Amino acid sequence: MFDHSEPTTPSSTSTPTSEHAPSISLDSLSKTKSAVESLSSILSSFPSNLSFSISSSNLNPAFSLLHDPQVASQVSSLLREPNSGAGDNNLCRWLYDTFQSGDPNLQLVVLRFLPIIVGIYLSRVALRKPLAGFEAILLALYAHETTSRAGQPITMNVPNLSLPSVYHEAKAPINNSTELNLAVISPSLEPHGTVRSTRRARIVGVALELYHSKIYHMPVGSKIDFCDFCVVWAGQDNNDDDRDLNKESESNGRKEGRIQLPWELLQPVLRILGHCLMGNTKNKELFDAAWAACNSLYARSMHDINPKALLATGSLLKLGKKAMEPSEDLDPTEIRKSNVLVI
Amino acid sequence: MELWGDHSDVESDSEWVRKVSANGVSMKTTEVEAKLDQGNIQEAEASLREGLSLNFEEARSLLGKLEYQRGNVEGALRVFEGIDLQAAIQRLQPSLAEKPSSRRGRFRTESVHAVSQHAASLVLEAIYLKAKSLQKLGRVSEAAHECKSVLDAVEKIFYQGILDVQVDNKLQEIVTQAVELLPDLWKQAGFYHEAIAAYRRALLSQWNLDNDCCARIQKGYAVLLLYGGVEAGPPSLAVQIDGSYVPKNNLEEAILLLMILMRKFILGKTQWDPSVMDHLTFALSVCSQTPVLAKQLEEIMPGVYHRVDRWNSLALCYSGAGQNKAALNLLRKSLHKHERPDDIIALLLAAKICSEDSHLAAEGVGYARRAINLAQGIDEHLKGVGLRTLGLCLGKQTKVSSSDFERSHLQSEALTSLEGAIPLEPNNTDLIFELGVQYAEHRNLTAALRCAKQFIDETGGSILKGWRFLALVLSAQQRFSEAEVVTDAALDETAKWDQGPLLRLKAKLKFSQSLHMDAIETYRYLLALVQAQRKSFGPPRIQAVDDKVNEFEIWHGLAKLYSSLSHWKDAEICLGKARELKQYSVEALHTEGVIFEGRGQFQEAFAAYNNALLLEPCHVPCKILISALLSKRGLKALPVARSLLSDALRIDPTNRMAWYYLGMVHKDDGRKADAADCFQAASMLEESDPIESFDSIL
């Protein structure tokens, strides 16, 4: 009905936006200024409006940086260069420093590139390329999450309808035997100073958990990058032939980039994918990318015979399919039509 | 904007004439519409006021509605903007004096009497249609603000909530529609926090919503919570009731709402909506709560899902939670020839479950073969998976095969299947690992080593079992120091709490190299680690328990170590500690026997071995030790010893100690040639025993 696109300008009471940005502190502004300056020395051509806007009326320059398509495409292509992950890489250095600046708006800019960082990183691990630059960024994200969670696990009380809740009534249980079922969504975090290979999936998984918690602020392009990498990681051709495979993986041979998908990695991947597919079905480009990713991961789950992944990806496929069908439901918020209008 | 598409054919019909009616009078709208089309709102309004004896607001409202129904939302908006709706709402609010003194008092049906209800619905409908017009013009956030003012007004006018008896149908309809529309508008506008607040307001206040509407709102909210990417936070304290469940994060709230929706379907209060189950499946499987999902599936009335679909989904749920026995029972039903025997996913899952249990492996072979045959057309890509599970099942079947011939046949078939899967499943690292283990079991250590190295390379060393496997293969090649280097490298790549199995391996490697003091040191460190771990996590651990070393194993390992050094006193102390942790253990009884034997207490040793065999009749080391003891008692006991050893070899044909003692028995019995064969077998096998059995890591 409406050509309503993904809110590229996330507007919510808690988020400063370019339109109604609350006063951004001077400290934050100077951090952003220096981040923009150092980034402009790394990128070959820096959008003039951005560097200009710092000094002028732009109220939230970090926000502009996050959503600037030119910056995104330049950073993305630099990250995809063969030796981009090395310890002495300028861009990695910049991403690390920018995240460590502690400014939440600048941290979003770093998170925006997490899909590419993780995607390139995981696919390159087996190739024995220098990756210290990527690892420094990932460890910084992991440490941030460890501190903000105080190392504690994220748990959940699985609802039990025999107990009354805010949304429904139930007879109070006779005894207290109806215990709540405690589920661990993300186990406790221990500090890591280096990426030990057996903890790699966990460290990346936690970084993705952080990404998921901020996904509302992420530009569509970042989410599409993520979905494209899901296809690469799954390493599975699926039956849908109308899908165009990631170009990079195609040129390198068909199943390049397939990685192990342990649950600690797959779980945050699936949650992000759920958002990409169902968060806003009106953005066609994102929906298509997410749909392709779901198909690939479903095929991969079949090959791994992974029951949990089969259930999760299978249900997403059913939901996605339903979203693609034209809705035949009557709009319940439409007033009844009649040819006699009554007051 | 094709808003009236379903009416377009009717509209072309000349019979279609709109009428307006009020105050018992009705009139055709042709004339009014003509005026509106000329853009003359005042005149249109005037003719309505005249024709129907209406006041200004009534006429405007009716006019707006007329424009809205005509599909002219811009026109409708112009009309509505001409009314001061906020002032109208002000007039409708009851004065403070009118409010009843007791909070729980009966609603003032008299105070909001029929006339003001009529006025209220007139104004509220006008605001609502203004919101709808704005929505259709794409001005969604403005629409949301208008829609919100409808609800604010309703709350002010009926500040105790709405009960059935109080309001007329028309007013109720507007309220219901506004309640449902508001969160949707915020969502469309991208204001997710406001949408969450609007959903909660819809669900937690008294609006007297009908079941279907409430279900739609609950589902919409659950979807936003699950996929919106905005954390809602727990609902305010005001709505929390003592002893009731309060969701504290998005997942909890979404799952609660979806479960309530499922309950409503089951009770027949709302229509079945399959997508609710799909959302619930996603939410519960992502947080690994598949048994809860299974319970939900079981509660659904028969007839909603085909029984086979339900069995298969249940099987996935149970298998996802490690309850493979229950899963397999369900799959057996669904794969029955009268049900759906050709479901390839069900076949593969059944085969995989069977491949983990040697007693089910033969059954699994059947499922895997069926899956391979079915892997055609669009399922052709699953052929490799079929071959892989077939290989795993066959490999497992060798553990229970009754004859040597059958065993070697199965083993080579297993290898053929796994090798056949390799080209179909390129870059599948798990498959490489499994093939390596199969090679190792077959004592093709060179090939096993190649696979182990490839696995570590391709996984970037990220999988612990890869390191352990490499170390075991090296240990089987008697390359202990290299195995130790690998173990040390693995320890570097492992976080402290996961180092247990590697340290145990390292202790055993030190022991194999006769570095006894180092071995003891390693065990001591391991013990400290395990004890620290127990303290820091507390007994009811929420950490995954798999792959962890328990304290019993350490004490027992130390007991074995000391007994091999003939430090009987220390060995006994350690064994005592071990037995405190696990009273009936075959391994502990075995070591106890060894200690007795070392001290020359043969009778007690014999008893200990026998007890061990009573606990586990297939325990090979005890069989061997009993026969060794028996063979020392002279010729009379030799046949018993021989039969025990044959039995041991049937279970474990690559056990060099069994071959060695069988050789001794043959020698004592005077069968020199047989003895020589056995000794030769023993000497060949000596080269290829891993330090821990290969299937301990699969």
Side-chain angles (χ1 to χ4, degrees):
Chain A
M1 190 154 50
F2 301 99
D3 187 24
H4 183 80
S5 58
E6 171 85 355
T8 45
T9 324
S11 28
S12 95
T13 45
S14 68
T15 326
T17 71
S18 58
E19 287 139 26
H20 43 90
S23 58
I24 284 175
S25 69
L26 274 177
D27 176 45
S28 160
L29 211 60
S30 74
K31 277 177 184 169
T32 312
K33 193 162 184 277
S34 72
V36 167
E37 273 166 8
S38 52
L39 182 62
S40 64
S41 70
I42 298 169
L43 301 184
S44 55
S45 69
F46 198 74
S48 54
N49 63 317
L50 255 185
S51 42
F52 176 69
S53 65
I54 291 301
S55 52
S56 73
S57 60
N58 193 335
L59 284 171
N60 190 346
F63 183 85
S64 316
L65 196 59
L66 175 64
H67 289 279
D68 189 277
Q70 231 185 311
V71 170
S73 83
Q74 282 196 54
V75 172
S76 303
S77 55
L78 282 179
L79 285 173
R80 287 171 195 268
E81 276 180 5
N83 288 313
S84 54
D88 56 356
N89 183 281
N90 282 336
L91 183 57
C92 286
R93 180 92 231 166
W94 181 82
L95 288 163
Y96 176 83
D97 289 341
T98 306
F99 189 81
Q100 296 295 55
S101 74
D103 182 62
N105 291 317
L106 282 174
Q107 289 183 334
L108 291 181
V109 179
V110 179
L111 280 178
R112 186 247 172 269
F113 297 103
L114 187 66
I116 302 185
I117 295 170
V118 168
I120 304 273
Y121 173 67
L122 289 178
S123 301
R124 268 185 201 169
V125 161
L127 306 175
R128 296 173 185 245
K129 287 193 175 178
L131 295 166
F134 286 156
E135 289 185 342
I137 302 166
L138 291 169
L139 283 168
L141 303 187
Y142 181 86
H144 175 83
E145 195 63 1
T146 308
T147 316
S148 63
R149 275 164 56 176
Q152 292 301 306
I154 297 176
T155 57
M156 175 185 93
N157 284 313
V158 183
N160 183 341
L161 289 195
S162 58
L163 284 171
S165 79
V166 287
Y167 294 118
H168 81 296
E169 288 167 6
K171 278 180 204 145
I174 302 141
N175 50 14
N176 285 340
S177 63
T178 30
E179 272 177 27
L180 284 165
N181 191 354
L182 189 75
V184 178
I185 299 169
S186 172
S188 55
L189 300 173
E190 34 177 319
H192 287 308
T194 55
V195 179
R196 293 194 165 100
S197 63
T198 56
R199 304 309 297 149
R200 185 179 295 126
R202 178 70 183 137
I203 290 167
V204 172
V206 170
L208 289 176
E209 280 171 14
L210 179 61
Y211 181 79
H212 179 252
S213 70
K214 308 281 180 207
I215 199 156
Y216 178 70
H217 305 281
M218 290 298 127
V220 176
S222 173
K223 298 177 197 173
I224 292 176
D225 288 340
F226 177 83
C227 295
D228 290 346
F229 273 111
C230 286
V231 176
V232 178
W233 294 335
Q236 218 68 56
D237 295 323
N238 57 43
N239 323 328
D240 279 15
D241 38 13
D242 54 356
R243 191 176 64 79
D244 53 324
L245 263 164
N246 187 297
K247 284 167 206 129
E248 195 184 19
S249 70
E250 218 163 27
S251 59
N252 296 356
R254 283 214 313 225
K255 281 167 185 158
E256 191 78 6
R258 185 191 203 270
I259 56 164
Q260 288 261 337
L261 288 172
W263 189 246
E264 52 194 356
L265 187 57
L266 190 56
Q267 188 217 33
V269 165
L270 290 172
R271 293 189 71 186
I272 295 170
L273 200 54
H275 166 88
C276 294
L277 189 76
M278 299 302 296
N280 187 345
T281 51
K282 292 199 177 81
N283 188 311
K284 181 91 172 63
E285 204 189 346
L286 177 60
F287 181 86
D288 287 348
W291 176 249
C294 280
N295 271 301
S296 294
L297 284 174
Y298 182 71
R300 171 67 182 268
S301 316
M302 285 202 279
H303 282 250
D304 287 350
I305 320 178
N306 180 342
K308 268 190 288 184
L310 276 170
L311 284 167
T313 51
S315 54
L316 279 185
L317 283 182
K318 279 187 217 164
L319 291 165
K321 202 168 177 188
K322 188 146 189 289
M324 281 191 283
E325 288 164 3
S327 163
E328 282 153 25
D329 300 340
L330 286 171
D331 181 1
T333 66
E334 196 53 80
I335 59 162
R336 257 183 298 174
K337 294 153 214 161
S338 78
N339 55 354
V340 179
L341 274 72
V342 191
I343 271 254
Chain B
M1 208 169 296
E2 191 54 54
L3 290 163
W4 302 92
D6 47 344
H7 271 269
S8 54
D9 49 335
V10 189
E11 237 166 328
S12 62
D13 199 326
S14 59
E15 293 295 303
W16 173 260
V17 182
R18 275 194 205 85
K19 284 181 187 166
V20 283
S21 76
N23 301 328
V25 192
S26 81
M27 63 184 273
K28 287 185 184 167
T29 58
T30 337
E31 194 189 327
V32 182
E33 286 186 43
K35 281 176 182 154
L36 283 171
D37 290 340
Q38 289 160 14
N40 209 333
I41 299 176
Q42 257 103 11
E43 275 183 39
E45 178 207 314
S47 60
L48 273 185
R49 286 173 72 170
E50 258 170 55
L52 299 174
S53 331
L54 296 174
N55 65 25
F56 166 76
E57 275 159 12
E58 287 169 332
R60 279 277 169 146
S61 300
L62 198 55
L63 216 52
K65 194 171 172 184
L66 179 64
E67 283 283 47
Y68 183 83
Q69 287 232 349
R70 277 164 23 109
N72 182 7
V73 281
E74 274 152 347
L77 195 59
R78 264 197 305 278
V79 175
F80 289 130
E81 272 164 355
I83 320 175
D84 188 352
L85 293 162
Q86 291 311 314
I89 290 171
Q90 289 284 318
R91 287 200 299 276
L92 287 169
Q93 281 171 39
S95 65
L96 277 172
E98 263 184 277
K99 290 187 181 176
S101 48
S102 76
R103 251 183 71 83
R104 299 244 99 205
R106 191 83 192 115
F107 192 80
R108 311 144 290 137
T109 322
E110 289 79 35
S111 75
V112 181
H113 38 77
V115 174
S116 62
Q117 261 205 40
H118 175 85
S121 62
L122 186 78
V123 175
L124 294 176
E125 187 182 40
I127 310 175
Y128 181 72
L129 288 179
K130 189 176 172 188
K132 283 297 284 182
S133 304
L134 285 164
Q135 181 197 18
K136 287 179 180 174
L137 290 169
R139 292 155 68 179
V140 203
S141 52
E142 286 169 77
H145 284 289
E146 291 298 333
C147 190
K148 184 167 177 290
S149 70
V150 175
L151 299 183
D152 290 344
V154 172
E155 275 182 346
K156 279 177 194 152
I157 302 167
F158 308 95
Y159 55 86
Q160 281 193 320
I162 296 181
L163 303 170
D164 308 348
V165 285
Q166 298 161 215
V167 291
D168 65 23
N169 286 339
K170 190 173 171 205
L171 185 56
Q172 177 68 57
E173 202 179 309
I174 296 163
V175 170
T176 305
Q177 285 177 331
V179 167
E180 187 169 356
L181 181 64
L182 181 60
D184 209 38
L185 289 174
W186 287 129
K187 210 156 69 171
Q188 284 178 27
F191 290 84
Y192 284 9
H193 286 284
E194 284 77 359
I196 288 165
Y199 273 124
R200 286 214 172 124
R201 189 179 182 186
L203 295 173
L204 295 171
S205 313
Q206 282 278 358
W207 300 107
N208 190 29
L209 305 174
D210 61 273
N211 277 329
D212 280 327
C213 174
C214 183
R216 282 193 302 270
I217 294 172
Q218 285 176 331
K219 185 181 146 188
Y221 186 28
V223 168
L224 179 65
L225 287 168
L226 272 182
Y227 312 109
V230 168
E231 190 60 42
S236 72
L237 284 168
V239 297
Q240 299 183 10
I241 312 152
D242 253 3
S244 77
Y245 175 80
V246 182
K248 64 179 191 313
N249 59 42
N250 279 15
L251 265 174
E252 285 183 6
E253 199 165 356
I255 292 172
L256 172 66
L257 288 166
L258 293 168
M259 281 180 166
I260 291 171
L261 283 170
M262 290 299 295
R263 171 71 54 89
K264 285 185 182 170
F265 297 138
I266 292 163
L267 297 175
K269 285 185 179 164
T270 51
Q271 277 190 322
W272 167 244
D273 176 356
S275 66
V276 169
M277 195 62 206
D278 293 331
H279 290 300
L280 194 56
T281 303
F282 177 74
L284 285 172
S285 52
V286 158
C287 51
S288 300
Q289 292 301 302
T290 51
V292 181
L293 181 61
K295 204 161 159 272
Q296 293 287 324
L297 272 166
E298 280 160 359
E299 280 177 10
I300 298 174
M301 294 292 155
V304 174
Y305 283 120
H306 190 281
R307 62 176 179 278
V308 177
D309 290 330
R310 195 200 307 234
W311 288 334
N312 286 344
S313 302
L314 280 172
L316 286 173
C317 290
Y318 286 123
S319 171
Q323 300 174 29
N324 280 336
K325 216 170 164 181
L328 185 61
N329 281 333
L330 287 157
L331 290 169
R332 281 175 180 148
K333 279 154 79 97
S334 81
L335 289 169
H336 189 270
K337 64 174 185 236
H338 295 314
E339 300 291 348
R340 203 180 293 160
D342 290 348
D343 188 312
I344 193 159
I345 297 291
L347 284 167
L348 290 172
L349 181 60
K352 189 195 176 197
I353 291 170
C354 290
S355 76
E356 283 158 20
D357 182 341
S358 51
H359 296 285
L360 296 169
E363 186 184 340
V365 169
Y367 296 134
R369 291 224 160 98
R370 276 158 69 184
I372 293 166
N373 285 335
L374 288 165
Q376 287 162 7
I378 56 159
D379 287 332
E380 204 181 338
H381 66 113
L382 292 172
K383 193 172 177 190
V385 191
L387 282 168
R388 179 180 156 203
T389 47
L390 177 63
L392 291 177
C393 287
L394 288 165
K396 205 73 183 179
Q397 208 187 342
T398 59
K399 307 279 175 210
V400 290
S401 56
S402 52
S403 72
D404 217 22
F405 171 75
E406 188 187 305
R407 191 193 336 267
S408 62
H409 176 69
L410 288 171
Q411 237 166 17
S412 60
E413 242 193 302
L415 273 179
T416 317
S417 300
L418 290 174
E419 282 165 350
I422 290 273
L424 299 172
E425 291 275 291
N427 298 342
N428 187 336
T429 40
D430 290 322
L431 176 60
I432 292 162
F433 179 81
E434 286 149 4
L435 180 64
V437 174
Q438 205 58 47
Y439 279 134
E441 299 260 22
H442 216 82
R443 290 299 187 270
N444 183 349
L445 294 176
T446 324
L449 189 67
R450 200 183 56 233
C451 290
K453 282 181 174 165
Q454 193 186 346
F455 181 75
I456 289 182
D457 272 352
E458 289 186 9
T459 56
S462 61
I463 312 288
L464 184 58
K465 69 180 183 182
W467 294 102
R468 285 178 61 204
F469 179 52
L470 181 59
L472 286 184
V473 174
L474 288 168
S475 81
Q477 291 181 324
Q478 313 298 304
R479 294 153 74 177
F480 294 118
S481 58
E482 282 168 81
E484 212 187 313
V485 171
V486 169
T487 313
D488 284 338
L491 282 167
D492 277 346
E493 296 294 345
T494 316
K496 198 169 58 179
W497 298 130
D498 301 327
Q499 289 181 341
L502 290 168
L503 287 170
R504 186 183 59 202
L505 197 63
K506 184 169 172 166
K508 288 180 182 174
L509 282 167
K510 294 277 189 198
F511 181 48
S512 303
Q513 297 172 86
S514 302
L515 298 166
H516 296 113
M517 290 322 286
D518 290 356
I520 290 170
E521 201 51 47
T522 311
Y523 271 125
R524 193 174 290 161
Y525 180 70
L526 180 56
L527 190 63
L529 177 79
V530 170
Q531 285 172 343
Q533 203 162 7
R534 194 184 54 209
K535 272 182 203 141
S536 74
F537 292 115
R541 275 220 304 252
I542 39 176
Q543 294 289 63
V545 201
D546 61 334
D547 241 20
K548 292 281 189 300
V549 176
N550 57 39
E551 229 176 300
F552 166 81
E553 282 180 84
I554 301 165
W555 286 116
H556 180 248
L558 275 170
K560 271 169 78 172
L561 183 57
Y562 282 121
S563 79
S564 77
L565 294 172
S566 307
H567 290 195
W568 307 120
K569 197 82 207 149
D570 291 332
E572 263 175 3
I573 293 168
C574 293
L575 193 64
K577 291 266 190 194
R579 295 185 85 166
E580 277 171 26
L581 296 161
K582 193 171 168 188
Q583 210 175 354
Y584 299 104
S585 148
V586 182
E587 290 82 14
L589 283 167
H590 171 243
T591 309
E592 190 188 16
V594 174
I595 296 171
F596 280 131
E597 205 178 326
R599 291 182 149 180
Q601 293 164 287
F602 296 114
Q603 207 54 44
E604 286 83 350
F606 196 73
Y609 297 144
N610 261 324
N611 284 340
L613 277 186
L614 288 174
L615 275 177
E616 196 184 305
C618 290
H619 194 249
V620 171
C622 281
K623 280 185 197 283
I624 297 167
L625 287 172
I626 291 176
S627 21
L629 275 178
L630 284 173
S631 63
K632 285 178 194 153
R633 290 195 177 179
L635 286 174
K636 239 176 23 187
L638 285 180
V640 186
R642 191 177 147 194
S643 93
L644 271 169
L645 287 167
S646 311
D647 202 32
L649 283 170
R650 183 187 58 81
I651 300 161
D652 182 8
T654 53
N655 191 309
R656 70 189 154 93
M657 291 306 285
W659 284 112
Y660 170 76
Y661 281 111
L662 190 60
M664 294 296 275
V665 170
H666 282 311
K667 197 186 89 182
D668 290 349
D669 242 358
R671 288 183 299 273
K672 294 271 161 57
D674 287 346
D677 284 348
C678 291
F679 288 138
Q680 197 181 5
S683 72
M684 275 164 66
L685 283 168
E686 198 168 18
E687 312 288 305
S688 60
D689 245 3
I691 205 159
E692 284 177 354
S693 79
F694 285 122
D695 58 356
S696 69
I697 50 171
L698 249 188

